[in-house]
Amino acid sequence: MKNSLFLLIVIFMLGLSACVPTAEIPPTAIPPVEISPEPTSLPATEPPTPEPQPTLEPTLEPTADVETPASNLYAYVKEFQIYLLNPADLSVVRMGDSNHPIGYASDCWLSSPRLSLDGHYLAFEARCVNAFIVYDLLQNNKIAEIVKASDPEILGDTLLGWAENGRLYYTRMVGGCSFDPELIGPERMEVYSYEPVSGSTRYEFDLPKVDAASHAYSIGIIIDPQAEHVIAWNAACSVGLGTRFLLTTNTGDYEISPNSWPASFGDLSGHYSAFPAEQYVFGADGGKLFVLKDPQLEWDPNSRLMFLAPGASQAQQIDSGSFNELVSQAPFVN
């Protein structure tokens, strides 16, 4: 009996405990643990190829623009001012303007333009200073002023032209024309050359006196590119120009009015006489620069300057007015 009662009490107590709610115990905070990951073995690979980078150019200071002249320029004189024609684009510039300063007033008469064979230099005569001027077309500045020895009122010192050696040849009169008590010409005509890089001049040779008259002397016209021959006039004080003669520079021999001229002078059919209906000159590229004018007028204000390009059938008008001279790199005689 006692055992049964004890068993009932145990069962009652177990049932009662099942009805009581269980208290929740908060979990104990676990300090964080830093875990180093195990290294993973990756398959060996080639490093990526870097993209090509552009090469950095050094920074340069800007320089002044320098325009190289064309190797076949034409020069002409209109109303005693010198103009240059570039046949590549038919552009024209006037010597003495703001872009091509020569240092003389606009009323200074200019003549006898002579271009160097590479188009680098232009030589011409300025009457207001009685001198030959040498102008650098690359740098746009005057580099020399060679004072003439002859009186500006007579035809004496002349520009012969440029040679392939880069030198400018010109004549220099020694003495002058004397009229009292008798007519006597200059002592001699010397030929000098000028070198533009060094600025030096040197004596070359004399033009021969080809006439025995006391007032006779020689006036230079042109030198060939090899500086082997000179064409000159037999002239005389107060009388004027006579016949032309050919001088061989290394021997001093000359021939008056030869039947033919050396091929080194180029196409001499391009020369023009005093006042023809058409003045013309051929360029080194075969182009033709010419003037159409009234043959009856010594000074034709309505003349037209034309240019016929190589291979073209129609000429283009470049300028108009009164033209005095046409000169190009292709040697020619006036």
Side-chain angles (χ1 to χ4, degrees):
M1 184 70 177
K2 289 182 179 179
N3 290 337
S4 299
L5 182 59
F6 177 78
L7 182 59
L8 288 172
I9 293 172
V10 171
I11 292 173
F12 177 79
M13 293 298 293
L14 290 174
L16 183 62
S17 63
C19 295
V20 177
T22 305
E24 294 185 4
I25 301 174
T28 304
I30 301 176
V33 177
E34 184 176 350
I35 300 176
S36 299
E38 291 294 328
T40 303
S41 297
L42 298 175
T45 58
E46 293 293 331
T49 303
E51 292 292 329
Q53 299 296 319
T55 303
L56 296 178
E57 297 291 339
T59 302
L60 301 177
E61 291 296 325
T63 57
D65 293 334
V66 176
E67 182 178 353
T68 303
S71 58
N72 183 44
L73 296 172
Y74 292 83
Y76 63 91
V77 180
K78 183 181 75 168
E79 299 171 359
F80 297 102
Q81 297 297 304
I82 293 175
Y83 296 81
L84 295 182
L85 165 67
N86 184 346
D89 57 7
L90 300 183
S91 60
V92 173
V93 298
R94 183 180 69 84
M95 300 307 301
D97 65 13
S98 59
N99 294 320
H100 303 82
I102 56 177
Y104 311 121
S106 59
D107 60 352
C108 181
W109 282 15
L110 309 179
S111 62
S112 306
R114 301 288 185 265
L115 285 155
S116 64
L117 300 184
D118 58 1
H120 191 154
Y121 302 101
L122 171 70
F124 57 92
E125 181 176 340
R127 183 178 175 86
C128 58
V129 289
N130 196 36
F132 301 133
I133 310 304
V134 183
Y135 190 90
D136 188 326
L137 292 171
L138 280 177
Q139 301 298 326
N140 275 342
N141 66 299
K142 181 178 67 177
I143 61 174
E145 186 177 280
I146 304 170
V147 178
K148 296 171 60 176
S150 60
D151 189 297
E153 300 304 320
I154 67 171
L155 184 55
D157 297 3
T158 60
L159 286 170
L160 296 177
W162 298 84
E164 291 175 347
N165 58 16
R167 304 187 73 91
L168 172 68
Y169 289 78
Y170 61 95
T171 64
R172 187 172 184 85
M173 178 182 284
V174 178
C177 290
S178 175
F179 300 92
D180 187 24
E182 59 179 321
L183 184 58
I184 299 177
E187 298 175 28
R188 61 185 182 276
M189 292 295 293
E190 300 174 333
V191 174
Y192 284 79
S193 69
Y194 167 81
E195 203 284 309
V197 176
S198 64
S200 61
T201 61
R202 72 184 183 201
Y203 167 80
E204 299 287 349
F205 50 84
D206 279 9
L207 289 182
K209 182 178 178 179
V210 300
D211 192 297
S214 62
H215 58 292
Y217 67 102
S218 298
I219 299 176
I221 300 175
I222 193 172
I223 193 167
D224 71 344
Q226 289 75 42
E228 295 176 349
H229 302 281
V230 170
I231 298 175
W233 276 300
N234 172 30
C237 295
S238 77
V239 176
L241 305 177
T243 56
R244 292 183 296 174
F245 66 89
L246 175 68
L247 167 69
T248 301
T249 59
N250 62 346
T251 64
D253 297 332
Y254 63 88
E255 182 180 1
I256 298 176
S257 299
N259 293 325
S260 62
W261 305 97
S264 55
F265 283 104
D267 182 10
L268 290 185
S269 66
H271 76 276
Y272 61 91
S273 59
F275 305 108
E278 179 180 305
Q279 299 175 347
Y280 61 95
V281 59
F282 290 100
D285 62 352
K288 182 182 180 182
L289 186 70
F290 61 97
V291 172
L292 297 178
K293 59 182 297 184
D294 186 337
Q296 304 302 318
L297 294 178
E298 178 178 335
W299 187 265
D300 183 0
N302 300 313
S303 297
R304 292 181 295 145
L305 181 67
M306 312 293 290
F307 179 72
L308 182 64
S313 58
Q314 295 293 327
Q316 294 179 266
Q317 181 171 324
I318 303 301
D319 204 346
S320 62
S322 298
F323 298 93
N324 311 96
E325 296 178 83
L326 299 178
V327 183
S328 80
Q329 285 183 269
F332 93 119
V333 179
N334 60 355

